[in-house]
């Protein structure tokens, strides 16, 4: 098995363990050839193909998907062709690569362990068209239809359009924050769109709210007022349950850190897992790989902690040293700590297989 095939298998195993199915996008993002923000941009219809956003060309992407197919068949997974439709106004079919047949990219590989009920739910969800996606732009822009601008844009084949040109200007904005109200307003509305904005710090698109019909929002508000007490009790139960799940996961992650790095003090392992696995943080501990205690993801969390707490990295950044140069300067210090915690003399260096993912 080649190095690339091993990396593909690791990415596939992590996604399969979490969801019981695996997609080409899971592998491409797992290989770090794509980031989640690239996939979001593509799904919004803001790129003609996924290839133009990737770090590699279409031929290499195709080879990776072929390797995924061989791995999936070897594991006895079931292929399920899946439509990929744009969240743009024209709802066009999304393209993965610029040339050639990209049907292999559209296959979802299903685990034989997935229940029939779950398979039906998955098939039903995949058959639905994605939400219309409206973007709150970061920079000045011009509507391809009228030449004007506005607070939001939506993509069509001819380019970005304002809500007036896209026939969405009669909708009202409902900010995110009340899940029940948003869910009911969307259900009541004949036409709705999700509003997203790019978060530069987290390097991903984040949901800001939805656009819905005004009458639909009024009906949803009445429904929420009628059962507010019941929903408050349910939210409290869910909060307690999630807190318990988080503590269990952090404990399991800390135990895995100690297993991989026997010299790491248990209290330090607990601090690393608590920081990396914080819900909503977007840190490595919340990734699909970390949730199944993947060795690479656990090692990345340890390296991140050592970088900030056991080296001069933060001081170098504050003194104006470029990030890449600062990382290079502290590399020997990180390797020494990792070698000490592993109980090895020289260590294998975090610029090997694990460093590739850092």
């Amino acid at each position: 098995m080649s190095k690339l095939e091993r990396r593909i298998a690791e990415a596939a195993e992590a996604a399969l363990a979490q969801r019981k199915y695996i997609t080409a996008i899971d592998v491409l993002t797992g290989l770090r050839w794509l980031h989640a923000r690239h996939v979001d941009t593509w799904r919004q219809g803001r790129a003609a193909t996924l290839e133009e956003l990737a770090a590699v060309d279409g031929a290499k992407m195709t080879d990776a998907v072929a390797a995924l197919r061989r791995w999936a068949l070897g594991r006895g997974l079931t292929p399920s062709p899946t439509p990929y439709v744009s969240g743009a106004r024209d709802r066009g079919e999304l393209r993965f690569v610029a040339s050639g047949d990209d049907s292999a990219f559209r296959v979802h590989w299903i685990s034989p362990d997935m229940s029939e009920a779950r398979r039906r739910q998955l098939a039903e969800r995949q058959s639905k068209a994605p939400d219309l996606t409206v973007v709150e732009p970061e920079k000045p822009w011009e509507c391809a239809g009228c030449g004007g601008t506005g607070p939001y844009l939506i993509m069509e084949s001819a380019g970005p359009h304002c809500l007036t040109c896209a026939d969405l200007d009669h909708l009202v904005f409902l900010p995110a924050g009340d899940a029940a109200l948003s869910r009911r307003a969307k259900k009541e509305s004949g036409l709705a769109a999700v509003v997203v904005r790019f978060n530069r710090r987290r390097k991903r698109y984040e949901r800001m709210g939805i656009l819905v019909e005004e009458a639909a929002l009024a009906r949803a508000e009445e429904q929420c007022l009628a059962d507010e007490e019941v929903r408050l009790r349910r939210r409290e139960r869910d909060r307690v349950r999630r807190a318990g799940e988080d503590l269990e996961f952090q404990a399991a992650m800390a135990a895995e850190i100690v297993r991989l790095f026997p010299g790491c003090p248990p209290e330090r392992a607990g601090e690393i897992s608590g920081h990396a696995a914080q819900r909503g943080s977007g840190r490595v501990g919340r990734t699909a790989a970390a949730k199944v205690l993947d060795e690479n993801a656990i090692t990345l969390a340890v390296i991140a902690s050592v970088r900030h707490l056991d080296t001069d990295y933060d001081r170098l950044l504050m003194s104006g040293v470029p990030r890449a140069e600062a990382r290079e300067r502290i590399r020997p210090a990180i390797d020494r700590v990792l070698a000490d915690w592993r109980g090895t003399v020289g260590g294998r260096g975090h610029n090997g297989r694990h460093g590739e993912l850092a």
Side-chain angles (χ1 to χ4, degrees):
M1 182 183 291
S2 69
K3 182 178 179 181
L4 176 60
E5 288 174 328
R6 285 196 299 271
R7 293 176 63 198
I8 289 170
E10 289 170 358
E13 289 282 7
L16 191 65
Q18 185 181 26
R19 297 188 321 222
K20 297 191 183 301
Y21 72 93
I22 177 73
T23 72
I25 290 177
D26 292 327
V27 166
L28 296 175
T29 54
L31 292 172
R32 301 297 175 93
W33 292 353
L34 286 164
H35 291 286
R37 65 180 182 276
H38 296 141
V39 178
D40 289 341
T41 297
W42 173 67
R43 289 187 180 277
Q44 292 164 15
R46 304 180 74 188
T49 66
L50 194 57
E51 177 184 352
E52 68 184 62
L53 303 174
V56 298
D57 60 23
K60 197 161 185 179
M61 292 169 63
T62 301
D63 289 344
V65 172
L68 168 62
R69 181 179 186 277
R70 292 192 296 272
W71 177 88
L73 291 174
R75 289 288 305 272
L77 306 187
T78 303
S80 175
T82 304
Y84 278 81
V85 181
S86 169
R89 194 72 170 91
D90 53 14
R91 299 295 204 179
E93 183 180 67
L94 292 167
R95 289 282 303 170
F96 286 81
V97 290
S99 61
D101 180 14
D102 65 355
S103 58
F105 289 81
R106 304 176 188 278
V107 176
H108 288 194
W109 294 94
I110 313 297
S111 168
D113 297 332
M114 183 182 286
S115 68
E116 283 301 319
R118 178 77 175 90
R119 285 174 185 252
R120 287 194 297 270
Q121 291 174 355
L122 181 61
E124 182 180 349
R125 187 169 72 248
Q126 291 171 346
S127 66
K128 293 180 179 178
D131 291 325
L132 285 173
T133 304
V134 167
V135 179
E136 183 179 310
E138 301 177 88
K139 302 176 181 177
W141 67 283
E142 184 176 294
C143 174
C146 65
T149 188
Y152 307 116
L153 66 84
I154 186 168
M155 294 301 297
E156 292 191 3
S157 56
H161 281 65
C162 66
L163 297 192
T164 299
C165 290
D167 296 326
L168 297 174
D169 57 337
H170 64 294
L171 303 180
V172 296
F173 178 64
L174 172 61
D178 188 328
L181 180 59
S182 296
R183 183 177 64 251
R184 286 169 168 171
K186 183 180 175 184
K187 183 178 179 180
E188 290 286 334
S189 189
L191 181 63
V194 174
V195 179
V196 299
R197 183 173 65 194
F198 188 68
N199 185 318
R200 285 199 169 276
R201 183 175 63 83
R202 295 187 172 182
K203 297 181 180 179
R204 68 187 186 194
Y205 282 94
E206 295 184 339
R207 183 172 176 146
M208 306 305 297
I210 57 175
L211 294 171
V212 293
E213 296 166 345
E214 192 167 5
L217 177 56
R219 291 193 295 271
E221 288 172 336
E222 291 176 1
Q223 294 168 12
C224 287
L225 285 173
D227 64 0
E228 183 176 8
E229 185 177 345
V230 173
R231 288 186 296 110
L232 284 173
R233 290 199 299 268
R234 184 182 300 136
R235 278 201 298 269
E236 178 59 20
R237 289 198 303 271
D238 289 343
R239 185 192 64 78
V240 172
R241 174 183 55 79
R242 287 194 298 270
E245 291 173 350
D246 286 350
L247 289 174
E248 290 178 4
F249 172 57
Q250 289 171 18
M253 187 175 179
E256 184 65 7
I257 291 171
V258 171
R259 187 187 73 81
L260 294 173
F261 300 91
C264 177
E267 61 273 16
R268 179 68 180 275
E271 292 172 3
I272 294 172
S273 65
H275 178 77
Q278 184 178 347
R279 186 180 292 268
S281 66
R283 298 184 184 119
V284 66
R286 301 305 304 181
T287 62
K291 289 177 182 177
V292 294
L293 302 179
D294 175 75
E295 181 179 344
N296 285 341
I298 298 299
T299 301
L300 285 177
V302 173
I303 289 173
S305 176
V306 172
R307 180 184 298 127
H308 291 289
L309 299 182
D310 300 281
T311 75
D312 290 333
Y313 182 67
D314 291 349
R315 183 185 61 78
L316 291 172
L317 292 183
M318 288 299 292
S319 65
V321 177
R323 178 173 171 270
E325 181 182 340
R327 287 200 172 200
E328 189 61 32
R329 287 192 194 180
I330 62 152
R331 187 182 299 273
I334 290 180
D335 288 343
R336 284 194 297 272
V337 174
L338 295 184
D340 181 49
W341 285 0
R342 284 191 177 108
T344 58
V345 175
R348 56 176 163 173
H350 76 279
N351 58 337
R353 184 165 65 95
H354 297 310
E356 234 171 44
L357 302 177

